[in-house]
Amino acid sequence: MMDIVFNGGKAEGVVSVPASKSYTHRAIMMAALSQGKCVVRKPLDSFDTRATAEAMRSIGAVIEPFEDGLSVGTERIHAPDRTIDVLNSGTTMRLMTGIAALFGSETTITGDESIRRRPMGPLLDALEGCGVSCTSNDGKAPITIRGPVKSDRISIDGSMSSQFVSSMLMMAPLVGRPMDVVIEGKQVSRPYIDVTISVMDRFGVKVGRTDEGYHVEPQRYVPCDYTVPADFSSAAFPLVAGGLSGKVSVEGLDLQDPQGDKAILDILRNAGCEVSVEDGKVTCSCTGRLSATDVDLSDIPDLFPIVAVLLSTAEGTSRLYGAPQLRFKESDRIASVEKMLSTLGADIRGTDDGCEINGVKRLHGGRIEHGGDHRLMMAASIASLVADGPVSMEDDGCWNVSYPGFVEQMRSIGMRC
């Protein structure tokens, strides 16, 4: 396979980023669970969301693409009629595990090599505590689940992944009895749970908050037309490009959206970038060398690679902290980001829950290994804007997981590739 090479440039222009992957997964699933006819407009069309659509087809949904989105129709959901291959989508695997627990027959869920390394233990433990039979490869895929849920109380460890909690919440209204979802340990990535609850509300399901976690009464998902919002996680890449080298605007963002990754705007401001917002268009401009800043990643772990790039050339020492769950993403993202930026000339040290960065004036470029991690690959490409040499990597198209058209869009705003 050939390499793709980024040679920096000056980032200037206006872009519209893809729809949110997190919302797209949830909207497709809840549309299928509504057992009616729905339209999901402006979804992200990526490898991961296609895996979710295939998983929903296995329980009886008829999903057809049209020009502006997907039509989703289901007469009756049933136990999956095949082994579910989630490819590289951890979100599909974790959310589908809860849905599979609704049925009294066995469901097997597996995925690619990366998926088979990702921990599922806390989610399987929670289901087993509710009477669900679970087998796995030492807490990892392939996993086999046989329901139904026999309890009215689910205790789930929230310290590893918000997706475990979202999986239980999405399943809970269909169990047939009132359910309490009890969160044990520190809850990480809470805004992603807010996203889940927001989409559930749009599909007619109400979730109550309690001192221990959440309460869900028996309910049905209600068919509706749903429009997927733009993705702040993706918007971070062109905005950081503007903050490092030029001026870039991103259109179509909703600052009232519960997405946690809109915190990128405050991070950019704190580092010294000029950030303005007008009618859903966010503009980030370079003001010179940035200043170091500390960033709590506990609610925004997906921003780690691009924020590390942003601060790699900032004056002073930055500390990124609060996200030990980064060790269990598509790659060990702490180790991967440390290796990537060290290769390019940054002064970075990984920690248990993030990293410390002593900003250098410029990176020197080099060849990095992204290991198929889409966020690592995209962050490395943006790093070329502050590098004196080219940044090269394997050209495997992994950006299509969350940002189809990323390379072409970066070219359109002045990056040389």
Side-chain angles (χ1 to χ4, degrees), residues 74 226 247 354:
T74 315
Y226 183 86
K247 181 179 180 180

Side-chain angles (χ1 to χ4, degrees), residues 259-397:
Q259 292 180 59
D261 286 346
K262 65 185 176 184
I264 189 62
L265 307 189
D266 288 333
I267 294 169
L268 288 162
R269 291 188 182 105
N270 291 341
C273 301
E274 181 181 336
V275 179
S276 63
V277 180
E278 182 179 0
D279 296 330
K281 182 170 76 172
V282 177
T283 301
C284 183
S285 304
C286 178
T287 58
R289 190 178 182 190
L290 301 181
S291 300
T293 185
D294 291 350
V295 181
D296 182 351
L297 297 165
S298 56
D299 285 341
I300 51 172
D302 283 347
L303 290 181
F304 175 59
I306 191 59
V307 170
V309 166
L310 174 74
L311 299 173
S312 64
T313 55
E315 186 172 7
T317 300
S318 300
R319 179 171 170 257
L320 281 57
Y321 63 93
Q325 68 269 34
L326 285 163
R327 297 284 185 188
F328 308 106
K329 293 290 186 177
E330 283 84 338
S331 61
D332 177 340
R333 277 213 177 122
I334 293 175
S336 297
V337 169
E338 179 184 19
K339 181 179 179 182
M340 179 265 285
L341 279 173
S342 295
T343 299
L344 300 182
D347 183 356
I348 178 173
R349 181 181 67 84
T351 62
D352 289 342
D353 61 350
C355 69
E356 291 183 357
I357 302 170
N358 297 310
V360 297
K361 287 187 178 180
R362 296 279 294 179
L363 303 178
H364 57 54
R367 187 183 191 280
I368 66 100
E369 296 178 4
H370 55 64
D373 186 330
H374 56 122
R375 299 194 194 279
L376 191 71
M377 175 271 158
M378 293 188 290
S381 71
I382 301 299
S384 72
L385 293 168
V386 287
D388 291 329
V391 175
S392 62
M393 63 200 78
E394 187 176 52
D395 182 11
D396 69 347

